[in-house]
Amino acid sequence: MVGAKTEVIDGQTPITFACAALKKAGLRITQPRISILTALIERKQPSSIEQIHGDLAKDSCDLVTVYRCLAAFEEIGLVRRSFYHNGTSLYTINLGETNTGYHFVCKETNQVEGIDAETTAELRRCVLMVEETLKARGYTDVTHMVEFFGKAPQATRTATPLTAPARTN
Amino acid sequence: MVGAKTEVIDGQTPITFACAALKKAGLRITQPRISILTALIERKQPSSIEQIHGDLAKDSCDLVTVYRCLAAFEEIGLVRRSFYHNGTSLYTINLGETNTGYHFVCKETNQVEGIDAETTAELRRCVLMVEETLKARGYTDVTHMVEFFGKAPQATRTATPLTAPARTN
DNA sequence: CTCTTTGCAAACGATTTGCAAAAAT
DNA sequence: ATTTTTGCAAATCGTTTGCAAAGAG
């Protein structure tokens, strides 16, 4: 589940796909945006603003720009923002794949890892069942969020740990 | 799942139980703390700092004190803090019951409601299975968090809606 | 050439901290 | 009497906004 640089969607590379999404939404393709999207694509894991900014070549773009771009990307659905149990909000690029699946968040490194579909297949089924039950009771627009957290084995920790918990306390 | 004022734990009322926890932890029992705990107990649902402070008799205690007390309570395990998908962090009192169960968060009112155990029984089972799988792979201290969100039917919305999303964007 | 995006500085809101006064033991 | 807790004011942190300059189409 890491470093998926060469995948293509409809015969396009991820960055081409993303740029097309910008264009389609009437947003301009700028150097900072390309860098941000590239960082997001290369990381492939949910990433914090701070982290994305840290990945960018020094002074290649202001932190404020990262905030603004991610907000814009989120608005057009190019990225998804999710809040994790540790209070951080992380962004994931949306390259149009079916679904993002469930994640594991390491308490120590704050890194997020996908959990393979096979392991979570039945879980997904159950969750959908609950959603159906809720809908039947009059709840609408029902979605869900499942998150596992704890300590990841050293082996799965990457070389680039997240800077730190966004939230101190 | 609302207003459980008269439950007792080991023959104690919730507030007595909570005060005992304070004493045991070497924390002093003060008027602000009693008020905060009472607010938490009466609400019974995960509540925001702002909300708890709002429930307190006017000027009965400073907002800063609410922050400090909740941090202290969390540290001794008297309350649990959880982050919800909308970015708010809410506190729930821990009266020693088995488990808190799963919740539904209303996007519009930000209210949190418990989902009955029967509906989520199988889900809980699946989640535990995933946890076991992760442990078998070397992950430790594994826990999880499941959250459903959407719009609650008008009927289940209470008279005291949460103030507002803590997080603007 | 026009409209969008960027950078910088300043504003902001939520949360935290320092410190002396007040309260608990 | 000693130690913790409180309130207030001020500091801090992440995030947002205003505005003029730079860049994209």
Side-chain angles (χ1 to χ4, degrees):
Chain A
M1 303 291 285
V2 187
K5 199 178 301 190
T6 48
E7 284 161 17
V8 290
I9 306 97
D10 294 335
Q12 300 168 76
T13 66
I15 191 65
T16 313
F17 175 91
C19 287
L22 289 188
K23 179 153 273 178
K24 190 164 63 177
L27 294 182
R28 297 191 175 174
I29 295 166
T30 67
Q31 188 46 59
R33 285 179 178 171
I34 293 174
S35 311
I36 293 168
L37 288 167
T38 304
L40 229 26
I41 289 165
E42 282 179 354
R43 228 170 233 283
K44 204 62 196 316
Q45 301 187 339
S47 328
S48 69
I49 296 241
E50 215 185 22
Q51 186 175 177
I52 295 165
H53 184 238
D55 279 4
L56 270 31
K58 192 124 173 55
D59 296 319
S60 71
C61 125
D62 195 272
L63 179 59
V64 178
T65 301
V66 181
Y67 274 101
R68 285 196 269 226
C69 288
L70 286 173
F73 299 166
E74 188 189 8
E75 198 148 351
I76 65 171
L78 217 203
V79 304
R80 296 197 198 87
R81 176 186 193 172
S82 18
F83 294 91
Y84 286 79
H85 93 282
N86 54 185
T88 29
S89 78
L90 305 183
Y91 295 82
T92 321
I93 192 154
N94 175 7
L95 262 8
E97 320 90 329
T98 30
N99 195 318
T100 27
Y102 299 126
H103 296 98
F104 178 89
V105 184
C106 178
K107 281 178 186 169
E108 300 193 329
T109 64
N110 269 320
Q111 268 175 156
V112 180
E113 262 183 85
I115 303 175
D116 61 291
E118 196 183 335
T119 304
T120 55
E122 187 159 359
L123 170 59
R124 164 162 283 118
R125 232 197 60 242
C126 287
V127 145
L128 293 178
M129 272 180 43
V130 174
E131 284 189 4
E132 288 314 313
T133 306
L134 290 171
K135 285 179 196 164
R137 291 182 187 167
Y139 293 78
T140 53
D141 289 308
V142 183
T143 41
H144 69 275
M145 146 84 138
V146 177
E147 191 190 334
F148 292 89
F149 40 94
K151 299 181 188 163
Q154 284 299 332
T156 72
R157 300 189 183 177
T158 78
T160 329
L162 289 192
T163 39
R167 177 164 292 277
T168 45
N169 175 335
Chain B
M1 302 291 282
V2 187
K5 197 180 302 191
T6 48
E7 284 162 16
V8 289
I9 306 96
D10 295 335
Q12 301 169 74
T13 64
I15 190 65
T16 313
F17 175 91
C19 288
L22 288 188
K23 180 153 271 179
K24 190 164 62 173
L27 294 182
R28 297 188 176 176
I29 295 165
T30 67
Q31 188 45 58
R33 285 177 179 175
I34 294 174
S35 312
I36 293 168
L37 288 167
T38 304
L40 230 25
I41 290 165
E42 283 179 354
R43 227 170 233 283
K44 206 62 198 317
Q45 299 188 340
S47 327
S48 69
I49 297 240
E50 215 185 21
Q51 184 175 183
I52 294 166
H53 184 238
D55 279 4
L56 272 30
K58 191 126 171 54
D59 297 319
S60 70
C61 124
D62 195 273
L63 178 59
V64 178
T65 301
V66 181
Y67 274 101
R68 283 197 270 226
C69 288
L70 286 173
F73 299 166
E74 188 190 8
E75 198 148 352
I76 66 171
L78 218 202
V79 304
R80 294 197 200 88
R81 175 186 194 172
S82 18
F83 294 90
Y84 288 78
H85 92 282
N86 54 185
T88 29
S89 78
L90 305 183
Y91 294 84
T92 322
I93 192 155
N94 175 9
L95 262 10
E97 320 91 329
T98 30
N99 195 318
T100 27
Y102 299 127
H103 297 98
F104 178 89
V105 184
C106 178
K107 280 179 187 170
E108 298 193 330
T109 64
N110 268 321
Q111 266 174 158
V112 180
E113 265 183 81
I115 303 174
D116 62 290
E118 197 183 334
T119 304
T120 55
E122 187 161 357
L123 169 59
R124 164 162 283 120
R125 232 197 60 242
C126 288
V127 144
L128 293 178
M129 271 180 42
V130 175
E131 284 189 4
E132 288 312 315
T133 306
L134 290 171
K135 285 179 198 163
R137 291 182 187 167
Y139 293 77
T140 53
D141 289 307
V142 182
T143 41
H144 69 275
M145 145 84 138
V146 177
E147 191 191 333
F148 291 89
F149 41 94
K151 298 181 188 167
Q154 285 298 332
T156 71
R157 300 189 183 178
T158 78
T160 329
L162 289 193
T163 40
R167 181 165 289 277
T168 45
N169 176 337

